[in-house]
Amino acid sequence: QVQLVESGGGLVHPGGSLRLSCTASGFTFGFYAMYWYRQAPGKEREMVALISSAGSRKDYADSVKGRFTISRDNDNNMLFLQMNNLKPEDTAVYYCHPDEVFVARNSGAHFWGQGTQVTVPS
């Protein structure tokens, strides 16, 4: 079955860096664009970054442009998020997920993992 396992989060002081990883299984990873999302306490889940299936196109939320870099390794079914110059407002649980085509092909179902907590104290 579809599994998404996020890792690499932690507590880091403002200005610090973290590298998140997402290990995917149960679907053809290289077929789909992939997203990183995050959800802060009391807020809705928001898109952070998107990478196309081959990795040639990347998009970012305005709040993270110039600080975060999304990448992928299709040979090993892995997605990454390099986060630099972290700010307190980046504090959230971070999730990975395949794109809307994947969701449509799975009858609208999402397969959220447990996420990985990133904490940047103010």
Side-chain angles (χ1 to χ4, degrees):
Q1 72 273 23
V2 174
Q3 278 198 309
L4 297 161
V5 180
E6 301 90 352
S7 62
L11 188 150
V12 61
H13 290 290
S17 298
L18 283 173
R19 187 184 192 225
L20 306 185
S21 298
C22 165
T23 303
S25 61
F27 65 102
T28 309
F29 181 77
F31 276 2
Y32 300 100
M34 290 291 297
Y35 287 92
W36 280 102
Y37 292 89
R38 67 186 179 187
Q39 187 166 20
K43 294 188 176 181
E44 293 190 356
R45 199 175 323 225
E46 64 173 353
M47 190 278 286
V48 175
L50 163 69
I51 187 168
S52 61
S53 57
S56 56
R57 179 190 160 220
K58 303 175 184 181
D59 285 320
Y60 300 92
D62 287 344
S63 58
V64 307
K65 278 181 183 175
R67 301 188 297 121
F68 290 11
T69 303
I70 189 171
S71 61
R72 66 190 296 162
D73 177 354
N74 285 350
D75 290 335
N76 291 293
N77 292 355
M78 293 194 72
L79 180 72
F80 304 100
L81 187 68
Q82 177 66 43
M83 305 188 297
N84 297 329
N85 190 21
L86 282 159
K87 303 177 180 181
E89 51 264 42
D90 296 318
T91 295
V93 179
Y94 285 72
Y95 303 88
C96 61
H97 201 277
D99 65 9
E100 298 85 350
V101 173
F102 173 90
V103 173
R105 288 179 176 173
N106 286 275
S107 303
H110 288 79
F111 297 87
W112 299 108
Q114 83 289 348
T116 187
Q117 175 72 49
V118 172
T119 302
V120 187
S122 55

